Amino acid sequence: MASEAKKPSAIWETIKTVFWALVVAGIFRTIFFQPFWIPSGSMKDTLLIGDFLFVNKMAYGYSYASCPNIRLGSINVDAQKLCAFLDGDNTRLWGDEPERGDIIVFRHSVHGTDFIKRVVGLPGDKLQVKEGRLIINDEVLPIEDAGVFQEVMERQGPLRRTPQCANGAVGFGAICEKPRFVETLPNGHKHNILNITNQRYDNTGVFVVPEGHYFFMGDNRDNSTDSRAPLTAQGVGYVPFENLIGRADRVIFSSAGRSMLFFWTWRGDRFFEKLE
């Protein structure tokens, strides 16, 4: 009889343990760091498909975007509703402004999807792209040749995407190449960018970044949906300050396969790699 009496108590203790573990994990994810998998190649070669990182949510303070979207089956609670008390006037609590060149995860203003790009334009900046060169406040950014970025033509990550190549249509297993350059931002920050071909956003009109907003671009310039495209369900446009989630500083883990469990696809040379 005594053992039967203990069973409900043991079950209740297990439920409480799981509950508090979820609460602690939720607080950690909301306040400190958010895990993020890289799903696309828009930030190559700085970030590769399958890179895993923790986003520093303390870097820019807190807004509604600091709260996670909750999607569990039929349950769908948007962060904008979950943390509505923080949503308004494009402000943040204890907010520090990003620096030009920071790699940031932010929330899309239309559908709430998390994006990761590099901030290149600050409030009040004038930007334009001509023949693939970024111009900020009437100054063409200097670039230096950094050789060729090479990767194997194969399906990458859980979405099984294939890379775009500058050396034509190559077959599976062949080497896909993209010219690589080092771009220097006005504050002296240097980072790699890739070029594939001439495309529509290699030549743009002039953008003037509104107050309280930021202009983002992917390092893989010809394969990135970013602020060069006006805000729609597809385009990003100018990103409000309150939509910033946090800064990406370091790759923690990386896998080239469909699953992190495929240990033979792990990229050990990228573990704990600092991001520039």
Side-chain angles (χ1 to χ4, degrees):
M1 294 292 291
S3 61
E4 290 181 5
K6 288 181 180 178
K7 283 182 181 179
S9 177
I11 293 172
W12 176 240
E13 287 301 320
T14 300
I15 292 173
K16 286 196 297 183
T17 300
V18 171
F19 171 78
W20 286 114
L22 291 173
V23 169
V24 170
I27 293 172
F28 184 86
R29 189 181 188 277
T30 300
I31 298 177
F32 300 109
F33 297 96
Q34 175 175 318
F36 191 83
W37 281 98
I38 303 301
S40 74
S42 68
M43 282 294 292
K44 290 179 181 177
D45 66 340
T46 305
L47 291 167
L48 304 181
I49 294 176
D51 282 350
F52 175 79
L53 46 88
F54 283 103
V55 177
N56 180 0
K57 303 182 83 166
M58 299 175 284
Y60 311 121
Y62 301 95
S63 71
Y64 86 91
S66 303
C67 293
N69 289 321
I70 298 176
R71 294 187 173 98
L72 296 172
S74 60
I75 301 174
N76 189 350
V77 181
D78 190 89
Q80 208 156 5
K81 295 180 179 178
L82 188 65
C83 291
F85 66 97
L86 290 172
D87 183 17
D89 298 327
N90 195 23
T91 58
R92 307 180 71 87
L93 296 177
W94 309 299
D96 286 330
E97 296 183 0
E99 296 183 9
R100 203 189 306 271
D102 285 357
I103 300 171
I104 298 175
V105 174
F106 59 89
R107 192 145 291 159
H108 193 281
S109 297
V110 174
H111 45 68
T113 302
D114 293 347
F115 277 51
I116 185 166
K117 308 287 180 185
R118 189 183 300 276
V119 61
V120 296
L122 306 179
D125 279 346
K126 183 171 69 172
L127 299 97
Q128 187 174 17
V129 180
K130 283 187 177 181
E131 298 180 355
R133 298 288 298 275
L134 179 59
I135 304 168
I136 299 180
N137 298 324
D138 299 320
E139 297 291 333
V140 181
L141 299 192
I143 60 173
E144 305 168 42
D145 185 9
V148 175
F149 171 68
Q150 295 183 330
E151 58 185 335
V152 176
M153 170 56 75
E154 60 185 355
R155 299 194 182 280
Q156 300 176 346
L159 300 180
R160 314 307 292 148
R161 292 176 172 171
T162 54
Q164 292 179 283
C165 311
N167 56 327
V170 302
F172 280 92
I175 298 299
C176 175
E177 297 182 345
K178 302 175 184 64
R180 176 169 50 197
F181 302 90
V182 175
E183 182 178 75
T184 303
L185 294 171
N187 62 350
H189 184 281
K190 296 178 180 289
H191 60 274
N192 289 348
I193 60 172
L194 302 181
N195 179 58
I196 301 171
T197 184
N198 293 322
Q199 51 94 26
R200 61 181 298 195
Y201 291 118
D202 280 340
N203 292 280
T204 72
V206 175
F207 303 95
V208 179
V209 185
E211 191 65 31
H213 291 71
Y214 296 88
F215 194 95
F216 285 85
M217 292 179 68
D219 292 348
N220 191 1
R221 293 287 165 82
D222 295 332
N223 189 24
S224 174
T225 300
D226 50 41
S227 293
R228 291 172 290 177
L231 179 61
T232 62
Q234 288 75 41
V236 171
Y238 305 116
V239 178
F241 186 34
E242 67 179 353
N243 282 27
L244 308 188
I245 295 174
R247 186 181 65 223
D249 296 319
R250 191 177 296 273
V251 173
I252 302 301
F253 173 84
S254 185
S255 173
R258 283 185 296 172
S259 168
M260 63 179 293
L261 300 178
F262 296 174
F263 63 86
W264 58 90
T265 66
W266 292 357
R267 305 183 184 107
D269 60 328
R270 293 187 64 79
F271 289 13
F272 304 106
E273 180 174 314
K274 189 176 186 301
L275 298 174
E276 300 293 344

mmCIF file of all heavy atoms in Angstrom, residues 59-80:
data_model
loop_
_atom_site.group_PDB
_atom_site.id
_atom_site.type_symbol
_atom_site.label_atom_id
_atom_site.label_comp_id
_atom_site.label_asym_id
_atom_site.label_seq_id
_atom_site.Cartn_x
_atom_site.Cartn_y
_atom_site.Cartn_z
ATOM 1 N N ALA A 59 22.801 42.377 -25.858
ATOM 2 C CA ALA A 59 23.606 43.361 -26.573
ATOM 3 C C ALA A 59 22.871 44.664 -26.830
ATOM 4 O O ALA A 59 23.465 45.749 -26.757
ATOM 5 C CB ALA A 59 24.099 42.767 -27.894
ATOM 6 N N TYR A 60 21.572 44.590 -27.134
ATOM 7 C CA TYR A 60 20.815 45.790 -27.513
ATOM 8 C C TYR A 60 19.620 46.052 -26.598
ATOM 9 O O TYR A 60 18.706 46.786 -26.968
ATOM 10 C CB TYR A 60 20.331 45.667 -28.964
ATOM 11 C CG TYR A 60 21.416 45.266 -29.924
ATOM 12 C CD1 TYR A 60 21.300 44.106 -30.693
ATOM 13 C CD2 TYR A 60 22.576 46.025 -30.055
ATOM 14 C CE1 TYR A 60 22.305 43.721 -31.568
ATOM 15 C CE2 TYR A 60 23.585 45.645 -30.919
ATOM 16 C CZ TYR A 60 23.451 44.487 -31.674
ATOM 17 O OH TYR A 60 24.465 44.110 -32.536
ATOM 18 N N GLY A 61 19.615 45.448 -25.420
ATOM 19 C CA GLY A 61 18.480 45.632 -24.533
ATOM 20 C C GLY A 61 17.291 44.786 -24.969
ATOM 21 O O GLY A 61 17.447 43.826 -25.726
ATOM 22 N N TYR A 62 16.097 45.169 -24.532
ATOM 23 C CA TYR A 62 14.947 44.285 -24.687
ATOM 24 C C TYR A 62 13.731 45.021 -25.266
ATOM 25 O O TYR A 62 13.455 46.165 -24.938
ATOM 26 C CB TYR A 62 14.575 43.675 -23.330
ATOM 27 C CG TYR A 62 15.736 42.904 -22.748
ATOM 28 C CD1 TYR A 62 16.608 43.514 -21.851
ATOM 29 C CD2 TYR A 62 15.986 41.597 -23.131
ATOM 30 C CE1 TYR A 62 17.698 42.823 -21.344
ATOM 31 C CE2 TYR A 62 17.066 40.899 -22.630
ATOM 32 C CZ TYR A 62 17.923 41.512 -21.740
ATOM 33 O OH TYR A 62 19.009 40.826 -21.259
ATOM 34 N N SER A 63 13.032 44.307 -26.141
ATOM 35 C CA SER A 63 11.777 44.784 -26.715
ATOM 36 C C SER A 63 10.855 43.579 -26.851
ATOM 37 O O SER A 63 11.202 42.474 -26.414
ATOM 38 C CB SER A 63 12.018 45.431 -28.085
ATOM 39 O OG SER A 63 12.339 44.431 -29.050
ATOM 40 N N TYR A 64 9.712 43.777 -27.510
ATOM 41 C CA TYR A 64 8.814 42.630 -27.708
ATOM 42 C C TYR A 64 9.520 41.502 -28.449
ATOM 43 O O TYR A 64 9.232 40.313 -28.235
ATOM 44 C CB TYR A 64 7.570 43.065 -28.491
ATOM 45 C CG TYR A 64 7.767 43.022 -29.992
ATOM 46 C CD1 TYR A 64 7.454 41.886 -30.726
ATOM 47 C CD2 TYR A 64 8.337 44.112 -30.674
ATOM 48 C CE1 TYR A 64 7.671 41.826 -32.084
ATOM 49 C CE2 TYR A 64 8.551 44.053 -32.027
ATOM 50 C CZ TYR A 64 8.225 42.920 -32.730
ATOM 51 O OH TYR A 64 8.456 42.856 -34.084
ATOM 52 N N ALA A 65 10.476 41.841 -29.335
ATOM 53 C CA ALA A 65 11.164 40.826 -30.137
ATOM 54 C C ALA A 65 12.072 39.943 -29.296
ATOM 55 O O ALA A 65 12.520 38.889 -29.763
ATOM 56 C CB ALA A 65 11.983 41.500 -31.243
ATOM 57 N N SER A 66 12.341 40.344 -28.052
ATOM 58 C CA SER A 66 13.152 39.507 -27.167
ATOM 59 C C SER A 66 12.382 38.270 -26.724
ATOM 60 O O SER A 66 12.983 37.283 -26.304
ATOM 61 C CB SER A 66 13.589 40.308 -25.933
ATOM 62 O OG SER A 66 14.304 41.461 -26.303
ATOM 63 N N CYS A 67 11.056 38.342 -26.793
ATOM 64 C CA CYS A 67 10.228 37.189 -26.440
ATOM 65 C C CYS A 67 10.158 36.229 -27.628
ATOM 66 O O CYS A 67 10.088 36.664 -28.774
ATOM 67 C CB CYS A 67 8.825 37.628 -26.055
ATOM 68 S SG CYS A 67 8.769 38.586 -24.535
ATOM 69 N N PRO A 68 10.168 34.933 -27.364
ATOM 70 C CA PRO A 68 10.115 33.967 -28.465
ATOM 71 C C PRO A 68 8.712 33.815 -29.029
ATOM 72 O O PRO A 68 7.718 33.979 -28.315
ATOM 73 C CB PRO A 68 10.572 32.662 -27.804
ATOM 74 C CG PRO A 68 10.158 32.816 -26.369
ATOM 75 C CD PRO A 68 10.307 34.275 -26.043
ATOM 76 N N ASN A 69 8.643 33.525 -30.333
ATOM 77 C CA ASN A 69 7.383 33.045 -30.903
ATOM 78 C C ASN A 69 7.164 31.616 -30.423
ATOM 79 O O ASN A 69 8.096 30.813 -30.436
ATOM 80 C CB ASN A 69 7.442 33.065 -32.434
ATOM 81 C CG ASN A 69 7.425 34.476 -32.988
ATOM 82 O OD1 ASN A 69 6.720 35.334 -32.495
ATOM 83 N ND2 ASN A 69 8.216 34.717 -34.024
ATOM 84 N N ILE A 70 5.960 31.294 -30.006
ATOM 85 C CA ILE A 70 5.655 29.940 -29.534
ATOM 86 C C ILE A 70 4.837 29.231 -30.595
ATOM 87 O O ILE A 70 3.712 29.631 -30.897
ATOM 88 C CB ILE A 70 4.902 29.979 -28.199
ATOM 89 C CG1 ILE A 70 5.769 30.641 -27.125
ATOM 90 C CG2 ILE A 70 4.504 28.571 -27.767
ATOM 91 C CD1 ILE A 70 5.068 30.809 -25.803
ATOM 92 N N ARG A 71 5.434 28.187 -31.172
ATOM 93 C CA ARG A 71 4.736 27.410 -32.196
ATOM 94 C C ARG A 71 4.846 25.931 -31.841
ATOM 95 O O ARG A 71 5.883 25.309 -32.051
ATOM 96 C CB ARG A 71 5.333 27.684 -33.581
ATOM 97 C CG ARG A 71 5.103 29.117 -34.062
ATOM 98 C CD ARG A 71 5.547 29.318 -35.499
ATOM 99 N NE ARG A 71 5.178 30.634 -35.988
ATOM 100 C CZ ARG A 71 5.996 31.675 -36.020
ATOM 101 N NH1 ARG A 71 7.225 31.538 -35.591
ATOM 102 N NH2 ARG A 71 5.587 32.850 -36.469
ATOM 103 N N LEU A 72 3.769 25.395 -31.284
ATOM 104 C CA LEU A 72 3.712 23.986 -30.909
ATOM 105 C C LEU A 72 2.454 23.374 -31.493
ATOM 106 O O LEU A 72 1.367 23.492 -30.925
ATOM 107 C CB LEU A 72 3.718 23.837 -29.376
ATOM 108 C CG LEU A 72 4.978 24.311 -28.633
ATOM 109 C CD1 LEU A 72 4.742 24.287 -27.133
ATOM 110 C CD2 LEU A 72 6.167 23.435 -29.008
ATOM 111 N N GLY A 73 2.614 22.733 -32.654
ATOM 112 C CA GLY A 73 1.455 22.146 -33.314
ATOM 113 C C GLY A 73 0.443 23.219 -33.682
ATOM 114 O O GLY A 73 0.739 24.164 -34.398
ATOM 115 N N SER A 74 -0.762 23.090 -33.141
ATOM 116 C CA SER A 74 -1.817 24.059 -33.444
ATOM 117 C C SER A 74 -1.706 25.318 -32.590
ATOM 118 O O SER A 74 -2.410 26.301 -32.826
ATOM 119 C CB SER A 74 -3.195 23.411 -33.227
ATOM 120 O OG SER A 74 -3.331 22.978 -31.883
ATOM 121 N N ILE A 75 -0.823 25.293 -31.587
ATOM 122 C CA ILE A 75 -0.631 26.463 -30.732
ATOM 123 C C ILE A 75 0.345 27.420 -31.396
ATOM 124 O O ILE A 75 1.475 27.044 -31.733
ATOM 125 C CB ILE A 75 -0.104 26.056 -29.341
ATOM 126 C CG1 ILE A 75 -1.088 25.105 -28.653
ATOM 127 C CG2 ILE A 75 0.148 27.283 -28.480
ATOM 128 C CD1 ILE A 75 -0.571 24.543 -27.347
ATOM 129 N N ASN A 76 -0.077 28.651 -31.603
ATOM 130 C CA ASN A 76 0.765 29.646 -32.268
ATOM 131 C C ASN A 76 0.568 30.992 -31.572
ATOM 132 O O ASN A 76 -0.429 31.668 -31.773
ATOM 133 C CB ASN A 76 0.405 29.744 -33.758
ATOM 134 C CG ASN A 76 1.388 30.606 -34.516
ATOM 135 O OD1 ASN A 76 2.237 31.280 -33.936
ATOM 136 N ND2 ASN A 76 1.281 30.599 -35.823
ATOM 137 N N VAL A 77 1.549 31.341 -30.721
ATOM 138 C CA VAL A 77 1.485 32.602 -29.991
ATOM 139 C C VAL A 77 2.629 33.482 -30.460
ATOM 140 O O VAL A 77 3.800 33.149 -30.258
ATOM 141 C CB VAL A 77 1.570 32.382 -28.469
ATOM 142 C CG1 VAL A 77 1.471 33.733 -27.740
ATOM 143 C CG2 VAL A 77 0.485 31.440 -27.994
ATOM 144 N N ASP A 78 2.291 34.591 -31.116
ATOM 145 C CA ASP A 78 3.311 35.484 -31.639
ATOM 146 C C ASP A 78 3.916 36.311 -30.509
ATOM 147 O O ASP A 78 3.231 36.707 -29.569
ATOM 148 C CB ASP A 78 2.701 36.414 -32.686
ATOM 149 C CG ASP A 78 3.763 37.196 -33.420
ATOM 150 O OD1 ASP A 78 4.267 36.696 -34.450
ATOM 151 O OD2 ASP A 78 4.100 38.306 -32.973
ATOM 152 N N ALA A 79 5.235 36.569 -30.627
ATOM 153 C CA ALA A 79 5.929 37.349 -29.601
ATOM 154 C C ALA A 79 5.308 38.725 -29.421
ATOM 155 O O ALA A 79 5.317 39.288 -28.327
ATOM 156 C CB ALA A 79 7.404 37.486 -29.980
ATOM 157 N N GLN A 80 4.741 39.271 -30.494
ATOM 158 C CA GLN A 80 4.148 40.602 -30.428
ATOM 159 C C GLN A 80 2.928 40.613 -29.498
ATOM 160 O O GLN A 80 2.618 41.627 -28.876
ATOM 161 C CB GLN A 80 3.751 41.069 -31.826
ATOM 162 C CG GLN A 80 3.772 42.574 -31.987
ATOM 163 C CD GLN A 80 3.956 42.997 -33.418
ATOM 164 O OE1 GLN A 80 3.986 42.167 -34.319
ATOM 165 N NE2 GLN A 80 4.096 44.286 -33.641
#
